[in-house]
């Protein structure tokens, strides 16, 4: 009933596991838990499209990724950033989501920036997977290759310390190169730097 709902809300607002939650502010503890739940839900095939279409969800995920992108000392910030990236990774697995996510304002730019600059290995790896997953859509291949710094980023990732990240970057380049219009751009980029990195 209404009274019990009100009491439950009051209990939630006053819940203070780490001394960080209050009734008049956003509770970081709750945000972390919500991101965990979204990460689990986003693995379900039937949930991927509705989640991507949910108003404000992608914007909220991008906010969590970019609000403190170079944090290495705060485990909670890192976990929130990685979980938000993981949700986008999963949403980008659905064919129906690839085009809309690729053209979503700020999404490619965020993936590129994270792949280049994030000090956390897992965050860079997930960014590489996002780029790879989106690149599988035929309709966006030319758009992606012409995106500022995308080829530079994939070249950078080919030298990442993580073999998984390097593999995802290679896969993204392979699928982008399947379009004739992209082959010369990729082959000549940085005076053949991509081809040299792939040859190693």
């Amino acid at each position: 009933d209404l009274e019990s709902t009100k009491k439950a809300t009051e209990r939630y607002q006053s819940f203070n596991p780490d001394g960080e939650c209050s009734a008049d502010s956003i509770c970081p503890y709750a945000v972390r838990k919500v991101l965990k739940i979204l990460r689990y839900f986003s693995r379900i095939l039937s949930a991927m499209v509705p989640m991507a279409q949910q108003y404000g969800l992608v914007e909220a995920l991008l906010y969590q990724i970019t609000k403190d992108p170079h944090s290495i000392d705060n485990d909670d910030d890192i976990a929130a950033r990685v979980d938000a990236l993981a949700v986008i990774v999963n949403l980008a697995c659905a064919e129906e989501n690839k085009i809309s996510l690729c053209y979503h304002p700020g999404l490619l730019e965020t993936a590129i920036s994270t792949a280049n600059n994030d000090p956390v290995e897992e965050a860079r790896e997930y960014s590489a997977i996002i780029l790879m997953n989106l690149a599988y859509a035929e309709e966006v291949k030319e758009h992606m290759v012409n995106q500022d710094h995308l080829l530079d980023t994939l070249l950078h990732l080919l030298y990442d310390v993580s073999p998984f990240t390097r593999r995802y970057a290679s896969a993204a380049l392979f699928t982008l190169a399947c379009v004739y219009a992209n082959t010369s751009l990729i082959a000549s980029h940085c005076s053949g730097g991509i081809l040299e990195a792939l040859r190693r």
Side-chain angles (χ1 to χ4, degrees):
D1 61 0
L2 183 60
E3 186 60 31
S4 59
T5 300
K6 181 180 178 182
K7 290 180 179 179
T9 302
E10 290 172 350
R11 285 197 301 272
Y12 168 76
Q13 290 177 329
S14 62
F15 182 50
N16 195 13
D18 300 315
E20 58 186 16
C21 300
S22 65
D24 58 350
S25 65
I26 295 174
C27 179
Y29 178 83
V31 170
R32 294 196 300 272
K33 293 303 180 183
V34 168
L35 285 169
K36 291 291 185 189
I37 293 170
L38 290 172
R39 183 171 180 173
Y40 291 131
F41 280 168
S42 67
R43 297 155 128 183
I44 303 170
L45 287 174
S46 60
M48 291 177 181
V49 175
M51 286 182 68
Q53 295 175 347
Q54 178 63 41
Y55 179 77
L57 176 62
V58 176
E59 288 84 352
L61 295 171
L62 294 177
Y63 171 76
Q64 291 299 322
I65 297 167
T66 59
K67 71 172 185 175
D68 195 3
H70 302 131
S71 172
I72 56 173
D73 300 322
N74 189 317
D75 290 342
D76 291 334
D77 285 346
I78 293 172
R81 194 159 77 245
V82 168
D83 283 338
L85 284 163
V87 174
I88 297 177
V89 165
N90 294 336
L91 297 182
C93 288
E95 287 296 325
E96 300 91 332
N97 290 341
K98 294 183 189 298
I99 297 174
S100 61
L101 289 175
C102 188
Y103 286 99
H104 191 284
L107 192 145
L108 270 182
E109 293 87 346
T110 297
I112 289 170
S113 176
T114 304
N116 276 304
N117 304 312
D118 202 299
V120 177
E121 183 176 313
E122 193 175 12
R124 297 194 306 274
E125 179 182 327
Y126 285 171
S127 296
I129 302 174
I130 291 170
L131 296 175
M132 178 189 71
N133 284 347
L134 295 178
Y136 283 125
E138 292 295 325
E139 298 87 345
V140 304
K141 294 183 191 295
E142 290 187 47
H143 170 73
M144 288 185 67
V145 164
N146 287 286
Q147 180 75 23
D148 288 345
H149 308 301
L150 183 122
L151 291 180
D152 290 331
T153 298
L154 292 175
L155 175 57
H156 173 72
L157 292 175
L158 290 176
Y159 292 96
D160 195 86
V161 295
S162 165
F164 300 106
T165 299
R166 297 197 299 269
R167 188 181 309 162
Y168 297 132
S170 298
L173 285 165
F174 175 81
T175 188
L176 290 172
C178 290
V179 172
Y180 179 76
N182 290 346
T183 53
S184 62
L185 289 173
I186 293 173
S188 61
H189 187 74
C190 284
S191 301
I194 289 176
L195 296 180
E196 178 61 25
L198 290 170
R199 185 185 65 82
R200 295 178 65 224

